[in-house]
Amino acid sequence: MPRITVTVSPGAGRSEMVGRHGDGWRARVAAPPERGRANAALCKLLAETLSVPRSSVRVVAGRSARAKVVEIERRLTGEASDS
């Protein structure tokens, strides 16, 4: 599964991908950095940007830091799910 590094700025005026930042990406999310809200907003933003289901995106490192590692599960069309 692909992993990307994202530097997040929580509490922004709107959620958006800003662009490249070193070897990773920079994002702004409107959600505050409390109780996982900014992480959830980041996953939603990435899912929408990459056109994948929200359930396919998860933060795997940096849950309480600005620099995060996000894993994206990409299923091929017609691939059976584990459910």
Side-chain angles (χ1 to χ4, degrees), residues 36-47:
R37 289 181 182 166
N39 290 340
L42 174 64
C43 291
K44 179 182 177 191
L45 174 64
L46 286 171

Side-chain angles (χ1 to χ4, degrees), residues 49-71:
T49 301
L50 299 171
S51 299
V52 297
R54 164 61 189 90
S55 60
S56 297
V57 181
R58 65 187 182 115
V59 175
V60 294
R63 285 185 178 89
S64 61
R66 290 168 81 88
K68 303 181 184 300
V69 176
V70 179
E71 187 173 80

